[in-house]
Amino acid sequence: MSDFQYPAPERTDVVHVEHPCTATGVPALHLEVSNWLPPLSLRPHSSAMPPCKMHCTSASLLRSTILSSSIYASTLPPAFLLPAFAQTAPFSSTPTHQARKDHNRNRGVSALRHTGIGKHQRLSVRVSALPQPVLDPARRSAVQVDPDHGLWGFFSKERTLISTPEEMNGYGRSWTIQELRGKDWDDLHKLWWTCVKEQNRIATGELERKRLAGEDGMYGDYEASERSKEVKQTMSATRFVLTERWYAYENARVEGMEDEEVDLYADPERGERAYLPKDETEDTFLGSAEGNERVDRTRRIPPPDESRRPSEARV
Amino acid sequence: MATGPLFRVGQKELYLPNFEIIFKRTPSQPPTSATFLVPLWFSKLDLRDYLYHAYSLTIGASIRSYVQQSRIRQGQTPDPVRPQYKRWHRPRATKRMTVELDRPFVWPAEPESYTPWNKEETKMANEDQMEYQRRQGGDKDALAVPDERRVKMREQARALLEGKQTWRPGGGRMAEGVGMYGRR
């Protein structure tokens, strides 16, 4: 019956140990005790030895007790070991399998470990009812693109992927400094942003054209660079005009502070005059306390107007 | 769709920007996303406000950013005057941002014909140039004589043997005054 052959025991005594598990329905422990005993794990099961459930602590204690005192096999374990046999709680703190049964059907189902759907797990959607993805791009439904989409600003008027060299070559000249000197700030600002968007358009087209060209390349880079040069010249002229205008304003402000006939602190909205000619001042405000106060030469140069040029502005 | 922004517009005032924003084609992404190449100092909030003010583009809440490092290359500068094989440099990294669009956008189709760009002619010219450089290279003596020249030499030899043509030094061209140094 068994794969293990053992020499016949010389003397066999049957020890009946009354285990506390007996009260719970577990059959009593029957152990063959002899002079030579293999380890318990190697001993084959036989019909004469029904399997016994016992805690590891009790088993090891009992085994050590019996094996060490095989000479006194017929005697019961000493009395001070009896509380150990009466122990019902396991020594190990690992929860048993019964403790995990919390009626959670998704217990143990993991998306990371590819455990799949459990045997008794029921989803809200059946697999057969799931929609099938269209893997072929040609069979997918076309997306309706809004003609007023803001991203069309990165393309040319024709709304093609890349412009031909003829289309890229169809530009005029850049704005000159003389032309821009007559424009106010709003016009210059709009022109600058037009140039910025044109540069974005050229760079987007160039990136795509180089991708389509491949290793051998194709025409169009010269036209794009020439077109970009004109845009940069316009932007450069705009900066020049603005810088020139700022220096003109700064020089006029310093001159105005040094000029006795100009009062930069005057508020025209309240009827105050900023320009007071010298002869007129002598006639009007001669001997008047108000006039002397307004033309105060001890005042220093005021700082530039902070409300017009915020400090956070990045030019 | 002229609705206001769904986000809080930034307070940074940028009057004269001097950088480029490149719209990048990404076929692998859905049409509800758009990728841009931006300067390295650009932040997600910068791109959101830039697209809103310059292109009136209201985008969703999601912006993803990625900085692509460049591989090291030979030479001191990206465009060297002469090749410097023992010097290495790393070109500047590129930063790209992917935004979620509220309205889908599909790129225009690729052109069917590349005739306006002379793509085929460019390829033929490159091949011809490569062949010419190979013929003029250091191992030009090891190369076989081209077939066209071999056929012409055979015809010329046959004409000389049959008496149709008389031998003249320089192939007859110098006698006509159109030799190596002659100009007509």
Side-chain angles (χ1 to χ4, degrees):
Chain A
M1 291 290 289
S2 66
D3 297 336
F4 300 93
Q5 296 291 331
Y6 300 104
E10 298 174 356
R11 186 171 61 93
T12 303
D13 295 334
V14 177
V15 180
H16 292 271
V17 179
E18 201 62 34
H19 196 267
C21 295
T22 312
T24 61
V26 178
L29 174 65
H30 296 269
L31 285 181
E32 289 181 346
V33 182
S34 64
N35 290 337
W36 185 90
L37 279 176
L40 281 178
S41 58
L42 289 178
R43 297 182 66 177
H45 291 288
S46 61
S47 57
M49 278 185 56
C52 173
K53 285 184 181 177
M54 59 190 309
H55 299 306
C56 59
T57 316
S58 308
S60 58
L61 272 175
L62 187 60
R63 186 191 315 153
S64 61
T65 304
I66 292 174
L67 290 180
S68 61
S69 61
S70 59
I71 306 173
Y72 315 102
S74 60
T75 63
L76 284 172
F80 64 87
L81 282 180
L82 284 177
F85 293 125
Q87 180 184 4
T88 55
F91 179 75
S92 174
S93 61
T94 305
T96 59
H97 184 64
Q98 299 288 332
R100 297 294 298 272
K101 288 214 167 181
D102 52 354
H103 305 289
N104 184 4
R105 292 179 181 274
N106 295 334
R107 173 70 62 196
V109 176
S110 169
L112 295 179
R113 303 189 180 195
H114 302 280
T115 54
I117 303 173
K119 190 184 296 181
H120 301 292
Q121 194 179 12
R122 183 169 297 173
L123 300 178
S124 59
V125 179
R126 293 186 177 180
V127 177
S128 59
L130 287 177
Q132 294 294 323
V134 182
L135 299 179
D136 186 12
R139 290 181 52 228
R140 292 173 190 163
S141 57
V143 178
Q144 296 296 326
V145 181
D146 191 356
D148 296 332
H149 205 288
L151 286 177
W152 285 118
F154 285 93
F155 297 91
S156 61
K157 285 182 182 176
E158 294 81 11
R159 297 191 172 180
T160 53
L161 187 62
I162 50 177
S163 300
T164 61
E166 289 83 2
E167 293 169 353
M168 290 293 287
N169 205 22
Y171 59 88
R173 59 167 177 84
S174 60
W175 285 74
T176 61
I177 295 174
Q178 288 79 14
E179 291 166 346
L180 293 179
R181 274 183 182 139
K183 302 290 183 184
D184 59 347
W185 160 248
D186 291 337
D187 287 346
L188 293 179
H189 197 202
K190 286 178 185 173
L191 180 60
W192 182 275
W193 272 98
T194 305
C195 293
V196 165
K197 295 179 79 170
E198 179 65 24
Q199 270 195 326
N200 292 348
R201 201 176 296 125
I202 293 173
T204 301
E206 274 299 279
L207 188 70
E208 195 60 18
R209 191 190 61 80
K210 284 174 183 170
R211 182 188 70 84
L212 293 173
E215 292 182 355
D216 289 324
M218 59 187 188
Y219 283 8
D221 50 352
Y222 174 76
E223 287 79 3
S225 66
E226 289 298 307
R227 192 185 182 95
S228 182
K229 272 182 197 172
E230 296 294 327
V231 176
K232 283 177 181 173
Q233 281 184 9
T234 301
M235 297 171 80
S236 173
T238 307
R239 292 180 78 99
F240 184 90
V241 167
L242 288 174
T243 309
E244 193 181 55
R245 199 167 291 178
W246 184 86
Y247 275 110
Y249 163 78
E250 185 66 16
N251 292 339
R253 189 183 63 83
V254 172
E255 287 290 327
M257 284 315 298
E258 293 175 350
D259 194 353
E260 297 176 353
E261 300 178 346
V262 176
D263 183 12
L264 291 182
Y265 290 97
D267 192 359
E269 297 181 354
R270 285 192 288 176
E272 297 176 3
R273 297 172 62 186
Y275 177 61
L276 298 172
K278 200 167 188 179
D279 49 350
E280 188 181 351
T281 308
E282 288 173 351
D283 295 342
T284 311
F285 299 103
L286 191 61
S288 128
E290 185 188 359
N292 289 338
E293 184 186 356
R294 285 191 55 194
V295 190
D296 188 4
R297 297 169 190 170
T298 59
R299 286 185 180 177
R300 304 185 60 185
I301 298 176
D305 195 359
E306 292 297 332
S307 63
R308 290 191 178 180
R309 291 185 285 109
S311 59
E312 290 184 359
R314 187 193 301 258
V315 177
Chain B
M1 296 294 288
T3 59
L6 301 177
F7 48 86
R8 184 179 174 187
V9 179
Q11 301 293 320
K12 190 195 296 181
E13 293 177 345
L14 188 64
Y15 287 103
L16 304 175
N18 199 8
F19 53 83
E20 290 178 351
I21 302 291
I22 301 178
F23 187 23
K24 195 175 187 306
R25 182 175 175 269
T26 48
S28 61
Q29 291 181 3
T32 53
S33 70
T35 301
F36 300 91
L37 300 184
V38 299
L40 278 176
W41 57 271
F42 232 52
S43 72
K44 297 180 179 180
L45 306 181
D46 289 339
L47 180 67
R48 192 182 63 181
D49 286 1
Y50 183 92
L51 292 178
Y52 172 69
H53 290 298
Y55 293 94
S56 61
L57 198 67
T58 56
I59 59 180
S62 170
I63 299 181
R64 286 169 288 166
S65 175
Y66 187 78
V67 176
Q68 177 79 51
Q69 294 291 341
S70 303
R71 305 185 71 170
I72 56 174
R73 304 181 69 174
Q74 267 185 340
Q76 189 180 16
T77 56
D79 191 12
V81 178
R82 61 180 67 87
Q84 296 167 311
Y85 297 109
K86 293 194 175 180
R87 305 193 69 159
W88 292 81
H89 78 282
R90 185 182 292 278
R92 191 171 292 246
T94 55
K95 189 173 195 174
R96 61 173 185 262
M97 289 189 184
T98 302
V99 306
E100 298 292 329
L101 305 171
D102 54 350
R103 288 175 292 167
F105 183 82
V106 180
W107 277 63
E110 296 179 0
E112 299 176 355
S113 168
Y114 291 97
T115 309
W117 293 271
N118 295 61
K119 191 175 183 182
E120 296 181 0
E121 287 83 352
T122 309
K123 185 178 181 183
M124 289 165 57
N126 285 343
E127 290 176 353
D128 205 22
Q129 183 75 12
M130 290 293 290
E131 176 66 18
Y132 177 76
Q133 288 183 359
R134 198 173 67 92
R135 290 288 170 192
Q136 298 296 324
D139 55 346
K140 61 180 180 181
D141 295 337
L143 298 177
V145 180
D147 290 341
E148 305 171 0
R149 193 178 175 193
R150 191 182 299 147
V151 169
K152 285 184 179 177
M153 287 171 68
R154 186 185 299 136
E155 290 177 355
Q156 191 177 11
R158 184 174 296 132
L160 284 173
L161 289 176
E162 292 176 356
K164 295 179 181 177
Q165 196 175 359
T166 57
W167 170 259
R168 278 181 292 182
R173 298 175 66 192
M174 290 191 68
E176 299 170 1
V178 203
M180 186 180 299
Y181 303 103
R183 294 281 185 272
R184 177 176 283 181

